[in-house]
Amino acid sequence: MLSNDLTNKLNAQINYECSSVVLYMQMSAWCASRGYDGCAKFFRLQANEEKQHMEKLFDYMLETGALPILGQLAAPPTSWKTVKELFQVTFDHESKASHNISALVDVALAEKDYSTFNFLQWYVAEQHEEEHKLKSLLDRIEMITEEGHGLFTIDREVSRLSSPRRQ
Ligand code: OFO
């Protein structure tokens, strides 16, 4: 059975995953409206994955007898100055997700809730992958620059890296 503290913190993480879904859908829309089809596809896949992250938490809470609660979400931004800024914001958002997961792991361990500790290991690995992928994308964007054909190359590169991941 989950403690009240872990219940509240897992619910907060459900909300964070939901905020990732709407943020990445909005990013996908911004990319599509500018003809960055590779980036639009990338963010659509990201949004789908974040929905799965939310559902995993949702199901885990139900399995432990706790009530998942979906809270209010702030509207995401609707535009970004450059593709580089878009990916920097995404990287920062994912770093915050990693920080949240680490805090949850800390609480599970402190409470000796080994079932939740074990469940959270999937998220630890997932966040490691996310941060690594986004960092390498940011490095490539830095190398290519957005001038001239650069943006086209970046869009193709991002599309190539859009692949379904951990289930
Ligand atoms: Fe990538 O944020 Fe979910 O866990």
Side-chain angles (χ1 to χ4, degrees):
M1 182 169 158
L2 288 172
S3 68
N4 283 343
D5 193 26
L6 266 177
T7 300
N8 293 338
K9 287 188 162 76
L10 287 169
N11 268 324
Q13 189 58 24
I14 283 181
N15 229 44
Y16 195 81
E17 305 290 350
C18 288
S19 79
S20 306
V21 175
V22 295
L23 175 64
Y24 297 153
M25 282 302 285
Q26 193 64 63
M27 286 175 160
S28 176
W30 181 80
C31 293
S33 73
R34 297 178 146 237
Y36 308 152
D37 293 342
C39 293
K41 177 179 144 203
F42 175 88
F43 282 106
R44 182 65 77 97
L45 283 170
Q46 284 291 123
N48 290 345
E49 284 183 9
E50 297 301 342
K51 180 168 175 283
Q52 287 168 14
H53 299 175
M54 181 276 283
E55 286 174 330
K56 256 186 181 327
L57 286 158
F58 189 94
D59 289 340
Y60 180 75
M61 290 187 71
L62 286 174
E63 282 163 19
T64 57
L67 179 69
I69 296 176
L70 299 164
Q72 200 173 9
L73 294 178
T78 53
S79 68
W80 294 268
K81 287 197 201 76
T82 59
V83 168
K84 183 179 169 191
E85 184 190 73
L86 186 75
F87 279 97
Q88 187 60 58
V89 168
T90 307
F91 181 78
D92 295 344
H93 187 80
E94 288 302 325
S95 299
K96 172 81 168 59
S98 303
H99 178 83
N100 293 348
I101 297 297
S102 298
L104 272 165
V105 170
D106 282 347
V107 177
L109 208 50
E111 291 185 6
K112 297 190 187 332
D113 181 341
Y114 298 117
S115 166
T116 303
F117 175 82
N118 185 49
F119 166 73
L120 289 168
Q121 296 315 301
W122 184 91
Y123 288 85
V124 171
E126 173 68 15
Q127 284 311 121
H128 171 77
E129 249 181 53
E130 291 270 5
E131 286 198 48
H132 174 68
K133 182 180 71 182
L134 287 162
K135 177 73 176 65
S136 74
L137 267 172
L138 272 169
D139 288 345
R140 284 176 217 205
I141 291 171
E142 193 70 54
M143 274 189 287
I144 297 167
T145 81
E146 297 182 33
E147 303 301 316
H149 294 305
L151 206 42
F152 178 74
T153 311
I154 290 168
D155 194 51
R156 234 185 17 194
E157 193 70 2
V158 171
S159 177
R160 207 175 57 75
L161 286 175
S162 309
S163 55
R165 294 198 313 279
R166 189 184 311 276
Q167 294 294 314

